[in-house]
Amino acid sequence: MDFRPYGEGLVDGYIKKELFHDVFAGDLPRATAELMWAGQRPADVRTLGEPSGAPAWKTIPSWYLVGRDDKVLPPAAQRFMARRAGARTFEADTSHVAMIAQPGATAALIKRAAG
C-alpha cells in the first residue's frame, strides 16, 4: 500500500501501482488494470480498526462468490466468512474483481439469489 496523509492525522491507502495488476486484478489485461489503478478510490486506514455495526447476514439470506485466485482476501478467509454467514457459496477462478473479470459467474450468482 501507498499511504498518503491528508487533513489532521488522516491517512488514505492505495494499492501500489507496480503490484496492482498481480495482487488485485491478475486475470484482467494489464491496460485494464492500469486504468483501474489510476481510478481507485482510497481506503481510509482508520476503517481497518473500527468495529462495524450489526452484520446484515445475521438477519437476511446471504450469497457469496469466492474468488479462488484472489490475492487480496485469501480464498480460505472468504470461505470462513461465507460459512459464518450461512451463505450459499459459489466459487470461480477469478481475482478480487470477479464482477469485472468474471461477469458471467457474478451475474449467475445474482440471478440465483434473486430467483
Side-chain angles (χ1 to χ4, degrees), residues 33-74:
E34 287 178 11
L35 284 173
M36 291 172 70
W37 170 82
Q40 73 179 295
R41 300 279 304 178
D44 184 332
V45 296
R46 292 177 299 171
T47 62
L48 299 173
E50 292 182 3
S52 66
W57 52 261
K58 286 192 173 189
T59 58
I60 62 172
S62 298
W63 299 75
Y64 199 101
L65 178 60
V66 173
R68 288 190 287 250
D69 298 328
D70 192 333
K71 292 183 175 64
V72 174
L73 190 56

PDB file of all heavy atoms in Angstrom, residues 33-74:
ATOM      1  N   ALA A  33      -6.159  -3.092 -15.898  1.00  0.00           N
ATOM      2  CA  ALA A  33      -5.721  -2.945 -14.503  1.00  0.00           C
ATOM      3  C   ALA A  33      -5.075  -1.582 -14.274  1.00  0.00           C
ATOM      4  O   ALA A  33      -5.250  -0.979 -13.216  1.00  0.00           O
ATOM      5  CB  ALA A  33      -4.758  -4.068 -14.134  1.00  0.00           C
ATOM      6  N   GLU A  34      -4.345  -1.074 -15.253  1.00  0.00           N
ATOM      7  CA  GLU A  34      -3.732   0.247 -15.106  1.00  0.00           C
ATOM      8  C   GLU A  34      -4.791   1.339 -15.002  1.00  0.00           C
ATOM      9  O   GLU A  34      -4.648   2.281 -14.220  1.00  0.00           O
ATOM     10  CB  GLU A  34      -2.763   0.514 -16.246  1.00  0.00           C
ATOM     11  CG  GLU A  34      -1.476  -0.293 -16.109  1.00  0.00           C
ATOM     12  CD  GLU A  34      -0.508  -0.096 -17.264  1.00  0.00           C
ATOM     13  OE1 GLU A  34      -0.717   0.822 -18.084  1.00  0.00           O
ATOM     14  OE2 GLU A  34       0.458  -0.873 -17.334  1.00  0.00           O
ATOM     15  N   LEU A  35      -5.853   1.223 -15.786  1.00  0.00           N
ATOM     16  CA  LEU A  35      -6.951   2.186 -15.669  1.00  0.00           C
ATOM     17  C   LEU A  35      -7.628   2.084 -14.303  1.00  0.00           C
ATOM     18  O   LEU A  35      -7.973   3.096 -13.691  1.00  0.00           O
ATOM     19  CB  LEU A  35      -7.986   1.969 -16.775  1.00  0.00           C
ATOM     20  CG  LEU A  35      -7.613   2.457 -18.158  1.00  0.00           C
ATOM     21  CD1 LEU A  35      -8.654   2.012 -19.185  1.00  0.00           C
ATOM     22  CD2 LEU A  35      -7.484   3.976 -18.167  1.00  0.00           C
ATOM     23  N   MET A  36      -7.802   0.859 -13.831  1.00  0.00           N
ATOM     24  CA  MET A  36      -8.404   0.668 -12.521  1.00  0.00           C
ATOM     25  C   MET A  36      -7.511   1.257 -11.430  1.00  0.00           C
ATOM     26  O   MET A  36      -7.998   1.885 -10.491  1.00  0.00           O
ATOM     27  CB  MET A  36      -8.655  -0.824 -12.271  1.00  0.00           C
ATOM     28  CG  MET A  36      -9.749  -1.390 -13.150  1.00  0.00           C
ATOM     29  SD  MET A  36      -9.894  -3.182 -13.011  1.00  0.00           S
ATOM     30  CE  MET A  36     -10.544  -3.322 -11.346  1.00  0.00           C
ATOM     31  N   TRP A  37      -6.195   1.057 -11.549  1.00  0.00           N
ATOM     32  CA  TRP A  37      -5.272   1.623 -10.565  1.00  0.00           C
ATOM     33  C   TRP A  37      -5.399   3.146 -10.536  1.00  0.00           C
ATOM     34  O   TRP A  37      -5.491   3.747  -9.464  1.00  0.00           O
ATOM     35  CB  TRP A  37      -3.819   1.238 -10.871  1.00  0.00           C
ATOM     36  CG  TRP A  37      -2.865   2.000 -10.007  1.00  0.00           C
ATOM     37  CD1 TRP A  37      -2.512   1.699  -8.729  1.00  0.00           C
ATOM     38  CD2 TRP A  37      -2.227   3.224 -10.334  1.00  0.00           C
ATOM     39  NE1 TRP A  37      -1.673   2.673  -8.230  1.00  0.00           N
ATOM     40  CE2 TRP A  37      -1.480   3.614  -9.215  1.00  0.00           C
ATOM     41  CE3 TRP A  37      -2.198   4.035 -11.472  1.00  0.00           C
ATOM     42  CZ2 TRP A  37      -0.714   4.775  -9.186  1.00  0.00           C
ATOM     43  CZ3 TRP A  37      -1.437   5.194 -11.452  1.00  0.00           C
ATOM     44  CH2 TRP A  37      -0.708   5.547 -10.315  1.00  0.00           C
ATOM     45  N   ALA A  38      -5.415   3.754 -11.721  1.00  0.00           N
ATOM     46  CA  ALA A  38      -5.473   5.218 -11.805  1.00  0.00           C
ATOM     47  C   ALA A  38      -6.770   5.769 -11.214  1.00  0.00           C
ATOM     48  O   ALA A  38      -6.790   6.880 -10.682  1.00  0.00           O
ATOM     49  CB  ALA A  38      -5.328   5.667 -13.251  1.00  0.00           C
ATOM     50  N   GLY A  39      -7.842   5.005 -11.275  1.00  0.00           N
ATOM     51  CA  GLY A  39      -9.134   5.481 -10.785  1.00  0.00           C
ATOM     52  C   GLY A  39      -9.544   4.928  -9.435  1.00  0.00           C
ATOM     53  O   GLY A  39     -10.664   5.154  -8.995  1.00  0.00           O
ATOM     54  N   GLN A  40      -8.634   4.212  -8.764  1.00  0.00           N
ATOM     55  CA  GLN A  40      -9.024   3.588  -7.494  1.00  0.00           C
ATOM     56  C   GLN A  40      -9.380   4.622  -6.443  1.00  0.00           C
ATOM     57  O   GLN A  40      -8.808   5.697  -6.370  1.00  0.00           O
ATOM     58  CB  GLN A  40      -7.934   2.651  -6.983  1.00  0.00           C
ATOM     59  CG  GLN A  40      -6.699   3.333  -6.439  1.00  0.00           C
ATOM     60  CD  GLN A  40      -5.670   2.348  -5.941  1.00  0.00           C
ATOM     61  OE1 GLN A  40      -5.907   1.621  -4.966  1.00  0.00           O
ATOM     62  NE2 GLN A  40      -4.524   2.317  -6.604  1.00  0.00           N
ATOM     63  N   ARG A  41     -10.362   4.280  -5.657  1.00  0.00           N
ATOM     64  CA  ARG A  41     -10.765   5.120  -4.538  1.00  0.00           C
ATOM     65  C   ARG A  41      -9.862   4.761  -3.357  1.00  0.00           C
ATOM     66  O   ARG A  41      -9.554   3.591  -3.145  1.00  0.00           O
ATOM     67  CB  ARG A  41     -12.224   4.847  -4.174  1.00  0.00           C
ATOM     68  CG  ARG A  41     -13.208   5.101  -5.285  1.00  0.00           C
ATOM     69  CD  ARG A  41     -13.554   6.527  -5.438  1.00  0.00           C
ATOM     70  NE  ARG A  41     -14.054   7.013  -4.149  1.00  0.00           N
ATOM     71  CZ  ARG A  41     -14.410   8.245  -3.925  1.00  0.00           C
ATOM     72  NH1 ARG A  41     -14.316   9.121  -4.863  1.00  0.00           N
ATOM     73  NH2 ARG A  41     -14.859   8.607  -2.743  1.00  0.00           N
ATOM     74  N   PRO A  42      -9.468   5.730  -2.588  1.00  0.00           N
ATOM     75  CA  PRO A  42      -8.599   5.410  -1.454  1.00  0.00           C
ATOM     76  C   PRO A  42      -9.361   4.678  -0.358  1.00  0.00           C
ATOM     77  O   PRO A  42     -10.578   4.772  -0.253  1.00  0.00           O
ATOM     78  CB  PRO A  42      -8.149   6.788  -0.971  1.00  0.00           C
ATOM     79  CG  PRO A  42      -9.245   7.713  -1.389  1.00  0.00           C
ATOM     80  CD  PRO A  42      -9.772   7.149  -2.688  1.00  0.00           C
ATOM     81  N   ALA A  43      -8.596   3.960   0.433  1.00  0.00           N
ATOM     82  CA  ALA A  43      -9.146   3.310   1.620  1.00  0.00           C
ATOM     83  C   ALA A  43      -8.669   4.101   2.832  1.00  0.00           C
ATOM     84  O   ALA A  43      -7.467   4.256   3.033  1.00  0.00           O
ATOM     85  CB  ALA A  43      -8.656   1.867   1.698  1.00  0.00           C
ATOM     86  N   ASP A  44      -9.588   4.609   3.614  1.00  0.00           N
ATOM     87  CA  ASP A  44      -9.241   5.313   4.839  1.00  0.00           C
ATOM     88  C   ASP A  44      -8.747   4.260   5.823  1.00  0.00           C
ATOM     89  O   ASP A  44      -9.493   3.364   6.222  1.00  0.00           O
ATOM     90  CB  ASP A  44     -10.470   6.039   5.382  1.00  0.00           C
ATOM     91  CG  ASP A  44     -10.182   6.870   6.614  1.00  0.00           C
ATOM     92  OD1 ASP A  44      -9.245   6.539   7.371  1.00  0.00           O
ATOM     93  OD2 ASP A  44     -10.912   7.852   6.836  1.00  0.00           O
ATOM     94  N   VAL A  45      -7.479   4.327   6.196  1.00  0.00           N
ATOM     95  CA  VAL A  45      -6.903   3.264   7.016  1.00  0.00           C
ATOM     96  C   VAL A  45      -7.549   3.141   8.392  1.00  0.00           C
ATOM     97  O   VAL A  45      -7.428   2.100   9.038  1.00  0.00           O
ATOM     98  CB  VAL A  45      -5.364   3.392   7.133  1.00  0.00           C
ATOM     99  CG1 VAL A  45      -4.710   3.229   5.777  1.00  0.00           C
ATOM    100  CG2 VAL A  45      -4.959   4.688   7.781  1.00  0.00           C
ATOM    101  N   ARG A  46      -8.274   4.153   8.857  1.00  0.00           N
ATOM    102  CA  ARG A  46      -8.988   4.043  10.140  1.00  0.00           C
ATOM    103  C   ARG A  46     -10.013   2.925  10.104  1.00  0.00           C
ATOM    104  O   ARG A  46     -10.319   2.313  11.128  1.00  0.00           O
ATOM    105  CB  ARG A  46      -9.689   5.357  10.487  1.00  0.00           C
ATOM    106  CG  ARG A  46      -8.746   6.501  10.799  1.00  0.00           C
ATOM    107  CD  ARG A  46      -9.511   7.764  11.059  1.00  0.00           C
ATOM    108  NE  ARG A  46     -10.285   8.103   9.855  1.00  0.00           N
ATOM    109  CZ  ARG A  46     -11.205   9.054   9.790  1.00  0.00           C
ATOM    110  NH1 ARG A  46     -11.504   9.763  10.849  1.00  0.00           N
ATOM    111  NH2 ARG A  46     -11.835   9.312   8.660  1.00  0.00           N
ATOM    112  N   THR A  47     -10.569   2.638   8.925  1.00  0.00           N
ATOM    113  CA  THR A  47     -11.610   1.616   8.839  1.00  0.00           C
ATOM    114  C   THR A  47     -11.097   0.231   9.195  1.00  0.00           C
ATOM    115  O   THR A  47     -11.887  -0.647   9.551  1.00  0.00           O
ATOM    116  CB  THR A  47     -12.232   1.567   7.424  1.00  0.00           C
ATOM    117  OG1 THR A  47     -11.210   1.219   6.481  1.00  0.00           O
ATOM    118  CG2 THR A  47     -12.844   2.897   7.055  1.00  0.00           C
ATOM    119  N   LEU A  48      -9.790   0.009   9.116  1.00  0.00           N
ATOM    120  CA  LEU A  48      -9.237  -1.302   9.452  1.00  0.00           C
ATOM    121  C   LEU A  48      -9.334  -1.609  10.944  1.00  0.00           C
ATOM    122  O   LEU A  48      -9.281  -2.767  11.347  1.00  0.00           O
ATOM    123  CB  LEU A  48      -7.781  -1.396   8.987  1.00  0.00           C
ATOM    124  CG  LEU A  48      -7.565  -1.251   7.481  1.00  0.00           C
ATOM    125  CD1 LEU A  48      -6.078  -1.199   7.168  1.00  0.00           C
ATOM    126  CD2 LEU A  48      -8.247  -2.373   6.721  1.00  0.00           C
ATOM    127  N   GLY A  49      -9.501  -0.583  11.760  1.00  0.00           N
ATOM    128  CA  GLY A  49      -9.570  -0.805  13.191  1.00  0.00           C
ATOM    129  C   GLY A  49     -10.892  -0.456  13.826  1.00  0.00           C
ATOM    130  O   GLY A  49     -11.053  -0.587  15.043  1.00  0.00           O
ATOM    131  N   GLU A  50     -11.864  -0.041  13.025  1.00  0.00           N
ATOM    132  CA  GLU A  50     -13.158   0.355  13.578  1.00  0.00           C
ATOM    133  C   GLU A  50     -14.158  -0.792  13.494  1.00  0.00           C
ATOM    134  O   GLU A  50     -14.259  -1.460  12.474  1.00  0.00           O
ATOM    135  CB  GLU A  50     -13.716   1.557  12.814  1.00  0.00           C
ATOM    136  CG  GLU A  50     -12.921   2.825  13.023  1.00  0.00           C
ATOM    137  CD  GLU A  50     -13.518   4.019  12.295  1.00  0.00           C
ATOM    138  OE1 GLU A  50     -14.584   3.873  11.666  1.00  0.00           O
ATOM    139  OE2 GLU A  50     -12.906   5.085  12.354  1.00  0.00           O
ATOM    140  N   PRO A  51     -14.908  -1.023  14.571  1.00  0.00           N
ATOM    141  CA  PRO A  51     -15.935  -2.076  14.511  1.00  0.00           C
ATOM    142  C   PRO A  51     -17.083  -1.640  13.597  1.00  0.00           C
ATOM    143  O   PRO A  51     -17.375  -0.452  13.467  1.00  0.00           O
ATOM    144  CB  PRO A  51     -16.404  -2.202  15.964  1.00  0.00           C
ATOM    145  CG  PRO A  51     -16.038  -0.901  16.605  1.00  0.00           C
ATOM    146  CD  PRO A  51     -14.847  -0.363  15.864  1.00  0.00           C
ATOM    147  N   SER A  52     -17.687  -2.619  12.981  1.00  0.00           N
ATOM    148  CA  SER A  52     -18.839  -2.326  12.123  1.00  0.00           C
ATOM    149  C   SER A  52     -20.112  -2.408  12.958  1.00  0.00           C
ATOM    150  O   SER A  52     -20.087  -2.794  14.127  1.00  0.00           O
ATOM    151  CB  SER A  52     -18.913  -3.316  10.972  1.00  0.00           C
ATOM    152  OG  SER A  52     -19.184  -4.608  11.456  1.00  0.00           O
ATOM    153  N   GLY A  53     -21.203  -2.090  12.339  1.00  0.00           N
ATOM    154  CA  GLY A  53     -22.498  -2.240  13.008  1.00  0.00           C
ATOM    155  C   GLY A  53     -22.925  -3.695  12.993  1.00  0.00           C
ATOM    156  O   GLY A  53     -22.143  -4.598  12.689  1.00  0.00           O
ATOM    157  N   ALA A  54     -24.178  -3.923  13.297  1.00  0.00           N
ATOM    158  CA  ALA A  54     -24.712  -5.286  13.296  1.00  0.00           C
ATOM    159  C   ALA A  54     -24.609  -5.876  11.889  1.00  0.00           C
ATOM    160  O   ALA A  54     -24.975  -5.233  10.909  1.00  0.00           O
ATOM    161  CB  ALA A  54     -26.175  -5.263  13.743  1.00  0.00           C
ATOM    162  N   PRO A  55     -24.094  -7.089  11.755  1.00  0.00           N
ATOM    163  CA  PRO A  55     -23.947  -7.694  10.436  1.00  0.00           C
ATOM    164  C   PRO A  55     -25.299  -8.042   9.812  1.00  0.00           C
ATOM    165  O   PRO A  55     -26.125  -8.699  10.447  1.00  0.00           O
ATOM    166  CB  PRO A  55     -23.113  -8.944  10.686  1.00  0.00           C
ATOM    167  CG  PRO A  55     -23.110  -9.178  12.146  1.00  0.00           C
ATOM    168  CD  PRO A  55     -23.556  -7.928  12.821  1.00  0.00           C
ATOM    169  N   ALA A  56     -25.494  -7.610   8.584  1.00  0.00           N
ATOM    170  CA  ALA A  56     -26.753  -7.879   7.882  1.00  0.00           C
ATOM    171  C   ALA A  56     -26.976  -9.372   7.678  1.00  0.00           C
ATOM    172  O   ALA A  56     -28.114  -9.841   7.680  1.00  0.00           O
ATOM    173  CB  ALA A  56     -26.764  -7.147   6.545  1.00  0.00           C
ATOM    174  N   TRP A  57     -25.889 -10.142   7.530  1.00  0.00           N
ATOM    175  CA  TRP A  57     -26.032 -11.566   7.272  1.00  0.00           C
ATOM    176  C   TRP A  57     -26.681 -12.319   8.429  1.00  0.00           C
ATOM    177  O   TRP A  57     -27.085 -13.469   8.262  1.00  0.00           O
ATOM    178  CB  TRP A  57     -24.701 -12.206   6.893  1.00  0.00           C
ATOM    179  CG  TRP A  57     -23.552 -11.959   7.813  1.00  0.00           C
ATOM    180  CD1 TRP A  57     -22.551 -11.033   7.653  1.00  0.00           C
ATOM    181  CD2 TRP A  57     -23.242 -12.645   9.035  1.00  0.00           C
ATOM    182  NE1 TRP A  57     -21.657 -11.103   8.691  1.00  0.00           N
ATOM    183  CE2 TRP A  57     -22.057 -12.084   9.557  1.00  0.00           C
ATOM    184  CE3 TRP A  57     -23.859 -13.676   9.746  1.00  0.00           C
ATOM    185  CZ2 TRP A  57     -21.475 -12.516  10.736  1.00  0.00           C
ATOM    186  CZ3 TRP A  57     -23.281 -14.108  10.919  1.00  0.00           C
ATOM    187  CH2 TRP A  57     -22.102 -13.527  11.413  1.00  0.00           C
ATOM    188  N   LYS A  58     -26.802 -11.704   9.581  1.00  0.00           N
ATOM    189  CA  LYS A  58     -27.473 -12.384  10.693  1.00  0.00           C
ATOM    190  C   LYS A  58     -28.985 -12.407  10.512  1.00  0.00           C
ATOM    191  O   LYS A  58     -29.658 -13.220  11.142  1.00  0.00           O
ATOM    192  CB  LYS A  58     -27.113 -11.718  12.019  1.00  0.00           C
ATOM    193  CG  LYS A  58     -25.703 -12.034  12.467  1.00  0.00           C
ATOM    194  CD  LYS A  58     -25.464 -11.612  13.886  1.00  0.00           C
ATOM    195  CE  LYS A  58     -24.106 -12.114  14.340  1.00  0.00           C
ATOM    196  NZ  LYS A  58     -23.918 -11.923  15.770  1.00  0.00           N
ATOM    197  N   THR A  59     -29.507 -11.525   9.666  1.00  0.00           N
ATOM    198  CA  THR A  59     -30.963 -11.433   9.529  1.00  0.00           C
ATOM    199  C   THR A  59     -31.470 -11.606   8.107  1.00  0.00           C
ATOM    200  O   THR A  59     -32.680 -11.720   7.915  1.00  0.00           O
ATOM    201  CB  THR A  59     -31.457 -10.074  10.056  1.00  0.00           C
ATOM    202  OG1 THR A  59     -30.809  -9.024   9.342  1.00  0.00           O
ATOM    203  CG2 THR A  59     -31.174  -9.932  11.548  1.00  0.00           C
ATOM    204  N   ILE A  60     -30.606 -11.617   7.107  1.00  0.00           N
ATOM    205  CA  ILE A  60     -31.057 -11.788   5.727  1.00  0.00           C
ATOM    206  C   ILE A  60     -30.253 -12.895   5.054  1.00  0.00           C
ATOM    207  O   ILE A  60     -29.107 -13.144   5.425  1.00  0.00           O
ATOM    208  CB  ILE A  60     -30.945 -10.474   4.903  1.00  0.00           C
ATOM    209  CG1 ILE A  60     -29.496 -10.002   4.817  1.00  0.00           C
ATOM    210  CG2 ILE A  60     -31.826  -9.390   5.482  1.00  0.00           C
ATOM    211  CD1 ILE A  60     -29.278  -8.844   3.878  1.00  0.00           C
ATOM    212  N   PRO A  61     -30.835 -13.574   4.084  1.00  0.00           N
ATOM    213  CA  PRO A  61     -30.091 -14.617   3.358  1.00  0.00           C
ATOM    214  C   PRO A  61     -28.873 -14.015   2.661  1.00  0.00           C
ATOM    215  O   PRO A  61     -28.922 -12.896   2.169  1.00  0.00           O
ATOM    216  CB  PRO A  61     -31.094 -15.140   2.336  1.00  0.00           C
ATOM    217  CG  PRO A  61     -32.429 -14.721   2.845  1.00  0.00           C
ATOM    218  CD  PRO A  61     -32.211 -13.455   3.621  1.00  0.00           C
ATOM    219  N   SER A  62     -27.788 -14.778   2.631  1.00  0.00           N
ATOM    220  CA  SER A  62     -26.545 -14.299   2.043  1.00  0.00           C
ATOM    221  C   SER A  62     -26.064 -15.232   0.938  1.00  0.00           C
ATOM    222  O   SER A  62     -26.274 -16.444   0.995  1.00  0.00           O
ATOM    223  CB  SER A  62     -25.461 -14.198   3.115  1.00  0.00           C
ATOM    224  OG  SER A  62     -25.823 -13.267   4.103  1.00  0.00           O
ATOM    225  N   TRP A  63     -25.388 -14.639  -0.020  1.00  0.00           N
ATOM    226  CA  TRP A  63     -24.786 -15.343  -1.139  1.00  0.00           C
ATOM    227  C   TRP A  63     -23.354 -14.865  -1.251  1.00  0.00           C
ATOM    228  O   TRP A  63     -23.065 -13.696  -0.989  1.00  0.00           O
ATOM    229  CB  TRP A  63     -25.544 -15.028  -2.425  1.00  0.00           C
ATOM    230  CG  TRP A  63     -26.976 -15.456  -2.354  1.00  0.00           C
ATOM    231  CD1 TRP A  63     -27.986 -14.841  -1.659  1.00  0.00           C
ATOM    232  CD2 TRP A  63     -27.555 -16.584  -2.966  1.00  0.00           C
ATOM    233  NE1 TRP A  63     -29.158 -15.533  -1.815  1.00  0.00           N
ATOM    234  CE2 TRP A  63     -28.926 -16.611  -2.626  1.00  0.00           C
ATOM    235  CE3 TRP A  63     -27.064 -17.588  -3.791  1.00  0.00           C
ATOM    236  CZ2 TRP A  63     -29.789 -17.590  -3.063  1.00  0.00           C
ATOM    237  CZ3 TRP A  63     -27.929 -18.562  -4.235  1.00  0.00           C
ATOM    238  CH2 TRP A  63     -29.270 -18.560  -3.869  1.00  0.00           C
ATOM    239  N   TYR A  64     -22.441 -15.753  -1.643  1.00  0.00           N
ATOM    240  CA  TYR A  64     -21.032 -15.378  -1.674  1.00  0.00           C
ATOM    241  C   TYR A  64     -20.344 -16.032  -2.865  1.00  0.00           C
ATOM    242  O   TYR A  64     -20.501 -17.225  -3.095  1.00  0.00           O
ATOM    243  CB  TYR A  64     -20.338 -15.816  -0.380  1.00  0.00           C
ATOM    244  CG  TYR A  64     -19.044 -15.096  -0.136  1.00  0.00           C
ATOM    245  CD1 TYR A  64     -18.973 -14.050   0.763  1.00  0.00           C
ATOM    246  CD2 TYR A  64     -17.891 -15.448  -0.832  1.00  0.00           C
ATOM    247  CE1 TYR A  64     -17.782 -13.373   0.984  1.00  0.00           C
ATOM    248  CE2 TYR A  64     -16.706 -14.774  -0.634  1.00  0.00           C
ATOM    249  CZ  TYR A  64     -16.660 -13.736   0.274  1.00  0.00           C
ATOM    250  OH  TYR A  64     -15.491 -13.066   0.467  1.00  0.00           O
ATOM    251  N   LEU A  65     -19.588 -15.234  -3.587  1.00  0.00           N
ATOM    252  CA  LEU A  65     -18.769 -15.731  -4.698  1.00  0.00           C
ATOM    253  C   LEU A  65     -17.314 -15.693  -4.248  1.00  0.00           C
ATOM    254  O   LEU A  65     -16.741 -14.614  -4.065  1.00  0.00           O
ATOM    255  CB  LEU A  65     -18.965 -14.871  -5.952  1.00  0.00           C
ATOM    256  CG  LEU A  65     -18.134 -15.265  -7.174  1.00  0.00           C
ATOM    257  CD1 LEU A  65     -18.465 -16.696  -7.615  1.00  0.00           C
ATOM    258  CD2 LEU A  65     -18.372 -14.290  -8.314  1.00  0.00           C
ATOM    259  N   VAL A  66     -16.730 -16.851  -4.038  1.00  0.00           N
ATOM    260  CA  VAL A  66     -15.328 -16.960  -3.641  1.00  0.00           C
ATOM    261  C   VAL A  66     -14.470 -16.850  -4.894  1.00  0.00           C
ATOM    262  O   VAL A  66     -14.664 -17.590  -5.856  1.00  0.00           O
ATOM    263  CB  VAL A  66     -15.046 -18.307  -2.947  1.00  0.00           C
ATOM    264  CG1 VAL A  66     -13.555 -18.499  -2.692  1.00  0.00           C
ATOM    265  CG2 VAL A  66     -15.834 -18.424  -1.657  1.00  0.00           C
ATOM    266  N   GLY A  67     -13.530 -15.915  -4.867  1.00  0.00           N
ATOM    267  CA  GLY A  67     -12.550 -15.809  -5.946  1.00  0.00           C
ATOM    268  C   GLY A  67     -11.354 -16.675  -5.598  1.00  0.00           C
ATOM    269  O   GLY A  67     -10.557 -16.327  -4.727  1.00  0.00           O
ATOM    270  N   ARG A  68     -11.243 -17.829  -6.245  1.00  0.00           N
ATOM    271  CA  ARG A  68     -10.170 -18.770  -5.909  1.00  0.00           C
ATOM    272  C   ARG A  68      -8.776 -18.218  -6.186  1.00  0.00           C
ATOM    273  O   ARG A  68      -7.796 -18.722  -5.639  1.00  0.00           O
ATOM    274  CB  ARG A  68     -10.369 -20.082  -6.665  1.00  0.00           C
ATOM    275  CG  ARG A  68     -11.528 -20.896  -6.117  1.00  0.00           C
ATOM    276  CD  ARG A  68     -11.571 -22.290  -6.706  1.00  0.00           C
ATOM    277  NE  ARG A  68     -12.023 -22.292  -8.078  1.00  0.00           N
ATOM    278  CZ  ARG A  68     -13.190 -22.775  -8.498  1.00  0.00           C
ATOM    279  NH1 ARG A  68     -14.033 -23.301  -7.622  1.00  0.00           N
ATOM    280  NH2 ARG A  68     -13.516 -22.733  -9.757  1.00  0.00           N
ATOM    281  N   ASP A  69      -8.668 -17.179  -7.037  1.00  0.00           N
ATOM    282  CA  ASP A  69      -7.367 -16.587  -7.353  1.00  0.00           C
ATOM    283  C   ASP A  69      -7.192 -15.210  -6.711  1.00  0.00           C
ATOM    284  O   ASP A  69      -6.317 -14.443  -7.104  1.00  0.00           O
ATOM    285  CB  ASP A  69      -7.202 -16.477  -8.879  1.00  0.00           C
ATOM    286  CG  ASP A  69      -7.236 -17.828  -9.560  1.00  0.00           C
ATOM    287  OD1 ASP A  69      -6.786 -18.819  -8.950  1.00  0.00           O
ATOM    288  OD2 ASP A  69      -7.717 -17.906 -10.702  1.00  0.00           O
ATOM    289  N   ASP A  70      -8.010 -14.903  -5.718  1.00  0.00           N
ATOM    290  CA  ASP A  70      -7.958 -13.611  -5.027  1.00  0.00           C
ATOM    291  C   ASP A  70      -6.694 -13.538  -4.180  1.00  0.00           C
ATOM    292  O   ASP A  70      -6.450 -14.405  -3.350  1.00  0.00           O
ATOM    293  CB  ASP A  70      -9.200 -13.449  -4.149  1.00  0.00           C
ATOM    294  CG  ASP A  70      -9.396 -12.041  -3.625  1.00  0.00           C
ATOM    295  OD1 ASP A  70      -8.401 -11.308  -3.474  1.00  0.00           O
ATOM    296  OD2 ASP A  70     -10.550 -11.680  -3.363  1.00  0.00           O
ATOM    297  N   LYS A  71      -5.891 -12.494  -4.399  1.00  0.00           N
ATOM    298  CA  LYS A  71      -4.668 -12.301  -3.623  1.00  0.00           C
ATOM    299  C   LYS A  71      -4.815 -11.154  -2.619  1.00  0.00           C
ATOM    300  O   LYS A  71      -3.876 -10.821  -1.912  1.00  0.00           O
ATOM    301  CB  LYS A  71      -3.493 -12.080  -4.561  1.00  0.00           C
ATOM    302  CG  LYS A  71      -3.153 -13.334  -5.353  1.00  0.00           C
ATOM    303  CD  LYS A  71      -1.955 -13.137  -6.235  1.00  0.00           C
ATOM    304  CE  LYS A  71      -1.528 -14.400  -6.927  1.00  0.00           C
ATOM    305  NZ  LYS A  71      -2.465 -14.958  -7.842  1.00  0.00           N
ATOM    306  N   VAL A  72      -5.995 -10.536  -2.574  1.00  0.00           N
ATOM    307  CA  VAL A  72      -6.276  -9.501  -1.582  1.00  0.00           C
ATOM    308  C   VAL A  72      -6.886 -10.148  -0.349  1.00  0.00           C
ATOM    309  O   VAL A  72      -6.474  -9.902   0.774  1.00  0.00           O
ATOM    310  CB  VAL A  72      -7.219  -8.418  -2.154  1.00  0.00           C
ATOM    311  CG1 VAL A  72      -7.621  -7.427  -1.078  1.00  0.00           C
ATOM    312  CG2 VAL A  72      -6.576  -7.703  -3.331  1.00  0.00           C
ATOM    313  N   LEU A  73      -7.887 -10.978  -0.567  1.00  0.00           N
ATOM    314  CA  LEU A  73      -8.582 -11.678   0.504  1.00  0.00           C
ATOM    315  C   LEU A  73      -8.468 -13.172   0.210  1.00  0.00           C
ATOM    316  O   LEU A  73      -9.106 -13.680  -0.716  1.00  0.00           O
ATOM    317  CB  LEU A  73     -10.049 -11.239   0.542  1.00  0.00           C
ATOM    318  CG  LEU A  73     -10.885 -11.673   1.705  1.00  0.00           C
ATOM    319  CD1 LEU A  73     -10.268 -11.251   3.029  1.00  0.00           C
ATOM    320  CD2 LEU A  73     -12.277 -11.074   1.579  1.00  0.00           C
ATOM    321  N   PRO A  74      -7.631 -13.887   0.946  1.00  0.00           N
ATOM    322  CA  PRO A  74      -7.397 -15.303   0.639  1.00  0.00           C
ATOM    323  C   PRO A  74      -8.700 -16.107   0.574  1.00  0.00           C
ATOM    324  O   PRO A  74      -9.608 -15.894   1.379  1.00  0.00           O
ATOM    325  CB  PRO A  74      -6.521 -15.783   1.801  1.00  0.00           C
ATOM    326  CG  PRO A  74      -5.870 -14.538   2.323  1.00  0.00           C
ATOM    327  CD  PRO A  74      -6.879 -13.443   2.124  1.00  0.00           C
TER     328      PRO A  74
END
